[in-house]
Amino acid sequence: MQDLNPRIRRALISLSDKAGLDELAHALAEWNVQLISTGGTAAKLKGAGFAVADVADVTGFPEIMDGRVKTLHPAIHGGLLGVRGNAEHIAQAATHGIAAIDLLVVNLYPFEQTLAEGAAFDACVENIDIGGPAMIRAAAKNHASVTVIVDRADYAALLAEMRANGGKTTPAFRKRMAAKAYARTAAYDGAISNWLGAVADSPDGEANGFPPTFSTQYRKAIDMRYGENPHQRGAFYVAPDAAPGTVSSARQLLGKELSYNNVADGDAALECVKAFPDRPACVIVKHANPCGVAEADTLLAAYDRAYRTDPESAFGGIIAVNRELDGPTASTIVERQFVEVILAPSVTDEATEAVAAKKNVRLLVTGAWSLVAPPRLDARTVAGGLLVQEADLALYDRLYVATRRQPTSGEMADLLFAWKVAKFVKSNAIVYAKDGATVGIGAGQMSRVNSSRIAAIKAEMAGLDVKGSAVASDAFFPFADGLLAAAEAGATAVIQPGGSMRDDEVVRAADDAGLAMVLTGMRHFRH
């Protein structure tokens, strides 16, 4: 009976991404592993002086149809799928001259990369791998004896396993690699299905719609102590292509493990601060809502102004900044208030030292982010379903002054500042701003007029003057009462989408109150 856990004697390697191939082949050669390969991989190995058998030599059949058919053969799949220790399988393999393959190393045609580069339909189709996924699935199914590697990041672990186990791999390692292999083929097929489904459903033949089925895959980054509440289990999964400058790709330097709410609030703070690229800016978030946002000439001044919007709510908040976190700013933050998380594109040594003095504060470095946010989809679950939409990345359709009075240049600057903030506040959202800083934020109210009142009350509680401020509303005013509440509080200029059946009434009320009102033509509900 054959050993169910044999030493690796025969390996098939077929790679689209050949990085690390020479080092892997050299290590396998030291173990006297026989190498089998295909096409460009075989040519590269031969060019580097390695002894390698072409797949065609193993199958007795040439590659045909521009390489579309080469590994789909019993000599390959029988070598991967044959069960070690099964007398019938062993006899059939002997009858047909099929030798066992102990190790499969494959990465697939770069379909996702080709698609991301905007390639034509036919080029995308040609980059759909057929033989690779078939071999991967076969080897993964037979992981009781066969090792499958689909990620070059695992080459080192493979070789360490072989060194530690006399040329073998352990069952636990093979099972882990098999799970990763199936995850890879699932993600690959999901990407193809999403793309082709969107193309097939689109009247113009472009993948600009939503496919009839939606597949996606995320990798677990953190097993959390609990979810939103202590009685709920939770975990954090990240996309394999998470962009730099996001909470999903951020690197934690200091502090306790991130919690479920830390990640959610950190994302809200970071995405908001990205809206202010021109000057040093700071955003403080509490329960997914900005409670203070400001720009200034220095980061310290920006933080100070953001904090003063609502010192009570800032307690236990999440802080994101858009410039390198410096020592004075970090020291002021941790000495002034209790903070859960600080996020910054980079951090000075002095700032790291200052934050480290408060051992529980989580410090995350995000790296630089793109000034132009790439298109993406947002999704949220509902009971038994998934809501998917394009991310809200635009700011306005067009700016139109609807009132008799035009806003001054200063008012216009504050209107646009408040409008940017309102986009990240839970609906119904009202934001008062003056001189590049928030002075009052009303969030998440069922009635827009109450959001106006609460924002003014919070400004009064913080000792801030709403008089002369600009006010933003994330959606239209259905009645004039919300607008009038802002005017009574002292706002002099208003920005809102417009589009209400009572727009004329609201404009008349603004004119009667001497307000300047700008319409954007774009709503920013946030639920």
Side-chain angles (χ1 to χ4, degrees):
M1 183 175 290
Q2 284 186 317
D3 185 356
L4 296 182
N5 187 20
R7 187 172 76 81
I8 294 175
R9 301 179 185 278
R10 201 160 178 254
L12 195 160
I13 305 176
S14 181
L15 302 175
S16 174
D17 177 1
K18 298 174 179 61
L21 173 60
D22 286 357
E23 295 83 355
L24 175 64
H26 179 77
L28 293 176
E30 290 184 342
W31 285 100
N32 295 316
V33 176
Q34 179 189 352
L35 302 181
I36 309 165
S37 196
T38 60
T41 308
K44 182 172 174 60
L45 288 170
K46 290 175 181 177
F50 294 102
V52 59
D54 286 304
V55 161
D57 297 331
V58 174
T59 63
F61 201 91
E63 294 185 13
I64 60 172
M65 300 177 182
D66 298 320
R68 286 188 171 203
V69 180
K70 49 192 173 188
T71 60
L72 298 170
H73 192 280
I76 300 301
H77 284 268
L80 292 169
L81 282 166
V83 177
R84 314 301 203 266
N86 182 308
E88 187 175 346
H89 285 203
I90 293 168
Q92 290 174 352
T95 298
H96 296 287
I98 298 173
I101 298 172
D102 308 305
L103 170 66
L104 178 73
V105 184
V106 171
N107 56 52
L108 303 175
Y109 293 174
F111 172 80
E112 297 102 328
Q113 180 183 338
T114 303
L115 182 62
E117 291 170 353
F121 181 88
D122 288 347
C124 290
V125 169
E126 282 307 309
N127 275 278
I128 296 175
D129 203 326
I130 302 300
M135 290 192 294
I136 289 170
R137 290 174 61 83
K141 177 174 181 175
N142 204 20
H143 67 269
S145 303
V146 179
T147 304
V148 56
I149 302 294
V150 296
D151 184 349
R152 71 170 185 265
D154 294 317
Y155 292 174
L158 166 68
L159 299 176
E161 280 273 316
M162 294 177 67
R163 285 192 298 271
N165 297 285
K168 299 181 179 183
T169 58
T170 60
F173 178 77
R174 292 195 299 276
K175 185 176 290 187
R176 192 165 67 250
M177 292 299 102
K180 190 168 185 177
Y182 281 124
R184 176 63 187 123
T185 57
Y188 194 76
D189 285 342
I192 296 167
S193 172
N194 287 346
W195 166 73
L196 195 55
V199 169
D201 257 22
S202 173
D204 60 5
E206 297 292 332
N208 52 14
F210 293 100
T213 60
F214 183 74
S215 301
T216 187
Q217 189 176 99
Y218 292 84
R219 173 184 57 81
K220 186 166 67 176
I222 304 174
D223 266 315
M224 292 170 162
R225 286 189 300 152
Y226 53 81
E228 195 165 10
N229 299 291
H231 65 278
Q232 297 169 270
R233 297 173 62 193
F236 180 36
Y237 288 80
V238 301
D241 58 350
T246 62
V247 70
S248 297
S249 61
R251 179 169 57 94
Q252 184 172 352
L253 295 184
L254 297 170
K256 296 192 298 186
E257 183 181 88
L258 288 169
S259 73
Y260 183 100
N261 294 327
N262 289 159
V263 173
D265 287 351
D267 178 67
L270 189 58
E271 294 307 302
C272 183
V273 85
K274 291 178 185 178
F276 303 94
D278 298 331
R279 301 176 68 199
C282 176
V283 173
I284 306 175
V285 161
K286 189 71 170 290
H287 294 304
N289 277 302
C291 60
V293 182
E295 293 179 307
D297 292 333
T298 68
L299 198 59
L300 178 57
Y303 161 70
D304 184 66
R305 300 184 76 206
Y307 175 81
R308 293 181 188 282
T309 301
D310 190 351
E312 288 181 340
S313 297
F315 180 85
I318 310 293
I319 297 176
V321 296
N322 67 348
R323 296 291 191 273
E324 182 172 69
L325 182 65
D326 57 80
T329 303
S331 295
T332 301
I333 291 172
V334 297
E335 290 169 7
R336 171 184 279 176
Q337 69 168 101
F338 168 54
V339 58
E340 289 269 0
V341 183
I342 303 173
L343 302 100
S346 59
V347 180
T348 67
D349 291 343
E350 185 183 1
T352 302
E353 184 178 349
V355 176
K358 303 288 186 179
K359 66 178 183 178
N360 290 332
V361 178
R362 302 154 178 94
L363 179 61
L364 273 63
V365 175
T366 67
W369 49 76
S370 172
L371 294 180
V372 179
R376 68 174 192 272
L377 296 179
D378 282 342
R380 72 164 51 178
T381 58
V382 296
L386 185 72
L387 285 169
V388 180
Q389 65 175 351
E390 295 175 339
D392 184 8
L393 301 177
L395 189 59
Y396 51 78
D397 181 32
R398 69 186 183 98
L399 298 178
Y400 167 68
V401 179
T403 50
R404 290 192 296 267
R405 186 171 79 79
Q406 297 283 318
T408 66
S409 59
E411 286 175 328
M412 194 65 189
D414 283 337
L415 285 171
L416 291 176
F417 179 91
W419 183 244
K420 290 179 180 179
V421 176
K423 180 180 170 182
F424 295 94
V425 178
K426 298 288 186 180
S427 301
N428 287 307
I430 295 291
V431 176
Y432 293 93
K434 185 162 59 175
D435 299 328
T438 50
V439 293
I441 298 174
Q445 297 303 303
M446 291 69 76
S447 165
R448 192 160 299 278
V449 64
N450 283 338
S451 286
S452 292
R453 292 167 178 155
I454 289 171
I457 291 169
K458 291 181 77 67
E460 182 181 0
M461 291 176 64
L464 299 176
D465 190 358
V466 176
K467 291 180 181 177
S469 67
V471 63
S473 173
D474 65 332
F476 63 64
F477 288 100
F479 302 96
D481 54 358
L483 177 87
L484 293 175
E488 289 169 7
T492 60
V494 181
I495 188 167
Q496 55 125 336
S500 166
M501 60 185 297
R502 296 182 178 84
D503 269 357
D504 290 344
E505 174 188 330
V506 173
V507 171
R508 284 196 300 273
D511 280 334
D512 291 345
L515 301 176
M517 186 164 67
V518 176
L519 304 183
T520 68
M522 183 174 289
R523 187 181 74 185
H524 288 298
F525 269 168
R526 190 176 182 90
H527 291 104

